[in-house]
Amino acid sequence: MLKILIIAGARPNFMKVAPVIKAITAHNARCREGDVRVNFSLVHTGQHYDQKMSDIFFQELGIPAPDINLGVGSGSHAVQTANVMTKFEPVCLEQKPGWVVVVGDVNSTMACTLVCSKLGIKVAHVEAGLRSFDRTMPEEINRIVTDSLADLLLTPSSDADENLKREGIPESKIRLVGNVMIDTLAANLQKARSSGILKKLGLQKKAFAYVTLHRPSNVDDPANLNSIMSGLNRLADHMPVVFPMHPRTHKMLAQFGISPVANGTMKILEPVGYHDSICLTESARLVLTDSGGLQEESTYFRTPCLTLRPNTERPITITLGSNRLTHPDRLSSDIQETLNGKEELGQVPPLWDGKASERIVQALVEHNHVS
Ligand code: UD1
């Protein structure tokens, strides 16, 4: 019996843990006598806690209710990280897991990894090896710390393997398993297509832009946020702009006194659920985002994507996929160029095949044998 704790903390984690949990259940159902069964508990750190940032994903993706909720909530990076650590340590001491599985690059990912490495508990990191090479991003710090401490690095693409090897991580710890986000996307495609959001918002396929923004570099800087909002208002003169707003963005707009034009074509919404988001991504003429997940989901659908960042830790979405970087200063001209181009771009990268979570469970079981 292999006992593991799976950690989920913030919105982008939920679509990564869902398929791993399903793959564990399927693995156990296939086990014969003598095979290693996997016994898991799900720990929600509570980094995201709103219905629309957390609960809806559990409902839509069929994730079981967390066995343990640490309830850490919001705070500065130090406060949030420290709260996860102090609340997670006693859980580890009591549960004594063989492995802890962390996903992505949020504060909870790094905090739980740090706790385990000091307690001698092995950590597997799903979505290891991604690098933006931009240490001003809090997520880049989380990635570097997590990967340097983890025992098993489960990577989505070969660029991630190269990054890890360059950092001196032994090849024996690295397993290329593919993109686990795509497992969830493939499993939910039918539900997403019947989400009803297009009808509800009066949208025509390939005739609107889908926008999400939440990175501190875009939304915590008044000049950048102002110029992005002006670019979006100009775009809304030409086509509907669907903009479900992250709480951080909401807060910063209010703080800087910037009011988006809420006319008929600029549709500012509360955060949307997973199925609606996937439906919007597939149907949009253009995605404009600073999210890592949306860069990947656009690439899967070959929907043209403009990423409002100077870099990306997901270069494959540019080299193979439909993604391109942009900047607030040239947003309008990049939008125009994209709208003049093709409706479908790029190719789907290798191992974005809906089977990454099966390979993850396989890797965990095998590494349990050798360690
Ligand atoms: C976090 C992750 C980021 C991820 C993003 C997705 C880190 C460092 N950042 O950023 O990688 O892309 O989640 O959303 O871990 N808030 C609410 N309700 C919630 C959660 C947050 O209102 O359920 C508000 C709070 O005012 C909080 C702010 O949003 O201060 C920011 O939340 P926080 O978890 O600090 O970081 P995110 O910007 O969401």
Side-chain angles (χ1 to χ4, degrees), residues 12 47-50 53 74 106-107 139 214 246-248 251:
Q47 180 174 341
H48 283 175
Y49 42 83
D50 281 352
M53 298 296 286
S74 303
V106 302
N107 286 342
E139 294 82 1
H214 72 283
H246 188 283
R248 174 191 281 275
K251 205 163 73 179

Side-chain angles (χ1 to χ4, degrees), residues 179-190 192-193 206 274 278-279 281-283 287 292-305 316-318 320-323 343-355:
N179 191 333
V180 78
M181 290 276 286
I182 304 303
D183 293 16
T184 301
L185 197 165
N188 283 274
L189 202 46
Q190 288 319 317
R193 284 180 176 153
K206 300 294 160 188
Y274 182 76
I278 292 297
C279 180
T281 307
E282 181 174 27
S283 307
V287 168
L294 269 169
Q295 295 172 50
E296 297 182 332
E297 288 156 354
S298 304
T299 283
Y300 183 83
F301 290 123
R302 305 180 63 223
T303 303
C305 176
I316 205 157
T317 61
I318 295 181
L320 279 185
S322 60
N323 188 23
E343 272 187 15
E344 286 195 342
L345 294 178
Q347 310 160 37
V348 180
L351 295 182
W352 290 31
D353 59 359
K355 297 196 163 88

Side-chain angles (χ1 to χ4, degrees), residues 235-286:
L235 175 58
D237 288 337
H238 300 288
M239 60 167 55
V241 173
V242 182
F243 188 178
M245 202 169 276
H246 188 283
R248 174 191 281 275
T249 311
H250 222 278
K251 205 163 73 179
M252 298 323 282
L253 282 172
Q255 195 170 312
F256 301 143
I258 304 171
S259 357
V261 184
N263 59 25
T265 57
M266 173 67 91
K267 297 171 191 291
I268 308 268
L269 315 175
E270 296 271 295
V272 293
Y274 182 76
H275 293 143
D276 286 349
S277 183
I278 292 297
C279 180
L280 290 167
T281 307
E282 181 174 27
S283 307
R285 176 64 184 85
L286 160 72

Side-chain angles (χ1 to χ4, degrees), residues 10-12 46-54 73-77 80 105-109 137-139 142-143 214-216 246-249 251 290-292:
R11 185 169 63 176
Q47 180 174 341
H48 283 175
Y49 42 83
D50 281 352
Q51 207 276 338
K52 291 190 163 72
M53 298 296 286
S54 175
S74 303
S76 70
H77 287 272
Q80 196 171 55
D105 55 16
V106 302
N107 286 342
S108 303
T109 312
M137 280 182 83
E139 294 82 1
N142 294 341
R143 293 180 200 117
H214 72 283
R215 298 250 167 240
H246 188 283
R248 174 191 281 275
T249 311
K251 205 163 73 179
D290 56 13
S291 141

